[in-house]
Amino acid sequence: MKNNGHPKYIGITTTVPIEILLSAGYSPLDLNNIFVSDTNPDRLIRLAEKDGFPLNCCAWIKGIYGVCLDKGISEVICVTSGDCSNTQMLREVLNLKGIRTIPFDFPTEPNPAEVKASLSKLALRLGTTLEAAEEWRKTLSPARELAYRLDYLCYAGNKVSGFEDHYWLVSSSDFNSDYVKYQADLQKLLNTAENRTPYPPTELRLAYLGVPSVFGQELYPYLEQNGARVVFNEIQRQFSLPEGGADISKSYTAYTYPYPMEYRLRDIQTQLTERRIEGIIHYVQAFCHRAIGDIILRQKLPLPMLTLEGNADFHLNQHQKTRLEAFLDMLKAKKQINL
């Protein structure tokens, strides 16, 4: 199934039911991924600050705004419940700039009937139906299956790096705006990865919890240089809708990110055991309300945890490197004692 004619792009501020967007004839663009992969993301932040965004505002919000201006985005789906508390005001500023915004709210609890109602409301706004979106869910299924396979090769086969796992899972939010190419490129990577020599069994196995970091391109290789590898990318994995579901409503009911911490914790605790995790890195974004969740994670999870904060620092600084090294040294010593 393909869109006819030229693609009609629409920005998204986080993972949304893209099957609905596709059925309405749109090609979704994850504005976060465009922002963080820009060769000079600082300039996008400066565009926002030039227009009055405060210094103590999350870099992702400013980056999304900068991308909209820089790329000439004319329409944006703004998730105003279930993601970022600043998105409502971002939406109002985008409207002021003449950019059409469409609100989408995840319900406060993952109740199947309420999720279906939210999806139906978005479909109606875009002039499509859940039945048409369901056909797109089936079309996207092979690409999602490849993402699951990659994740399995990361934690069970030990043949995929933490960054590869992160990149392909986080990209499943919009399939890089071309699900056919995403599927073909990921299949090529999987064909190569299957024949790799596995990572050594002596390496530390880490979980990465929280939203994707601004310094991910450096974080994952740095950990591997120091004898550790992320084999569980929590939120990135959720973007791929790992629980599947019998229909589109059930898929987004099982998706944990928009809902209270208790639902995330169930998934996290299962994955920590299955993936034999030895330590946790919890990334929190500066000025983000989700950082408060660190309190809950520390009380509920039994493993050593390092909390890293970032904002507009797209590279690891020396302080962060020192903290990471000290954390890994502690985990190695603990592992040696338990041998």
Side-chain angles (χ1 to χ4, degrees):
M1 187 181 297
K2 295 181 181 179
N3 292 328
N4 295 322
H6 298 293
K8 184 170 60 169
Y9 291 111
I10 188 167
I12 58 176
T13 60
T14 185
T15 292
V16 300
I18 62 168
E19 298 86 352
I20 294 175
L21 312 189
L22 290 163
S23 71
Y26 286 100
S27 289
L29 293 170
D30 190 320
L31 303 173
N32 300 281
N33 294 348
I34 296 172
F35 162 55
V36 78
S37 61
D38 193 272
T39 54
N40 184 12
D42 283 320
R43 71 183 178 84
L44 299 171
I45 291 176
R46 288 195 296 271
L47 284 175
E49 291 176 347
K50 182 181 177 182
D51 279 1
F53 279 74
L55 294 176
N56 63 345
C57 175
C58 166
W60 289 104
I61 286 289
K62 290 188 279 192
I64 287 172
Y65 177 82
V67 168
C68 289
L69 268 57
D70 186 62
K71 303 297 182 186
I73 305 296
S74 60
E75 294 182 86
V76 178
I77 301 286
C78 291
V79 176
T80 52
S81 175
D83 180 37
C84 174
S85 59
N86 288 322
T87 305
Q88 179 58 50
M89 288 310 303
L90 171 65
R91 180 182 173 228
E92 295 192 32
V93 177
L94 291 176
N95 287 339
L96 183 68
K97 287 291 182 178
I99 297 170
R100 180 189 180 219
T101 64
I102 301 162
F104 175 72
D105 296 331
F106 285 99
T108 54
E109 297 284 333
N111 177 284
E114 292 181 12
V115 172
K116 186 173 183 179
S118 291
L119 299 187
S120 297
K121 186 177 179 180
L122 178 62
L124 184 63
R125 281 180 179 272
L126 297 179
T128 186
T129 64
L130 287 192
E131 290 74 21
E134 184 62 29
E135 292 304 308
W136 271 102
R137 186 183 76 88
K138 296 171 185 175
T139 299
L140 295 176
S141 180
R144 294 196 187 281
E145 289 293 335
L146 292 182
Y148 309 151
R149 177 62 185 164
L150 178 92
D151 190 39
Y152 182 81
L153 279 180
C154 178
Y155 78 87
N158 295 317
K159 293 184 177 183
V160 168
S161 73
F163 181 75
E164 288 172 323
D165 190 61
H166 154 82
Y167 173 80
W168 289 98
L169 292 178
V170 82
S171 297
S172 66
S173 61
D174 66 353
F175 295 101
N176 293 332
S177 296
D178 186 340
Y179 75 95
V180 175
K181 186 176 187 302
Y182 174 97
Q183 187 173 327
D185 290 347
L186 183 49
Q187 184 64 68
K188 289 178 185 175
L189 174 61
L190 288 170
N191 292 343
T192 300
E194 293 275 8
N195 296 313
R196 290 175 180 170
T197 301
Y199 283 87
T202 54
E203 68 176 0
L204 292 168
R205 299 173 65 84
L206 302 179
Y208 176 99
L209 308 185
V211 296
S213 75
V214 292
F215 41 63
Q217 290 192 37
E218 282 194 9
L219 174 63
Y220 294 92
Y222 191 76
L223 292 170
E224 289 174 21
Q225 290 166 19
N226 286 276
R229 184 168 55 98
V230 172
V231 297
F232 175 41
N233 283 293
E234 181 224 349
I235 297 299
Q236 297 91 319
R237 174 176 170 271
Q238 283 298 318
F239 288 171
S240 71
L241 304 183
E243 299 306 317
D247 58 42
I248 187 172
S249 298
K250 290 184 174 61
S251 293
Y252 287 94
T253 301
Y255 171 51
T256 64
Y257 174 68
Y259 306 120
M261 285 290 292
E262 63 180 290
Y263 300 101
R264 283 180 59 195
L265 277 166
R266 292 175 194 172
D267 175 63
I268 290 168
Q269 289 165 334
T270 298
Q271 296 303 318
L272 293 181
T273 300
E274 183 173 341
R275 298 173 188 237
R276 297 181 287 110
I277 300 300
E278 298 169 280
I280 297 168
I281 292 174
H282 181 212
Y283 176 79
V284 296
Q285 183 70 23
F287 314 116
C288 178
H289 73 282
R290 288 181 177 272
I292 301 171
D294 191 71
I295 299 168
I296 300 171
L297 292 176
R298 286 186 173 276
Q299 289 201 13
K300 293 291 186 178
L301 299 179
L303 295 172
M305 182 184 301
L306 173 68
T307 302
L308 286 180
E309 183 181 73
N311 187 33
D313 39 355
F314 298 96
H315 303 280
L316 290 173
N317 59 40
Q318 191 54 54
H319 177 64
Q320 290 163 336
K321 289 179 179 179
T322 300
R323 292 188 67 217
L324 284 166
E325 290 170 13
F327 181 63
L328 297 181
D329 285 345
M330 179 270 291
L331 292 179
K332 290 172 186 175
K334 182 181 177 184
K335 188 172 185 175
Q336 201 64 34
I337 291 171
N338 292 334
L339 287 178

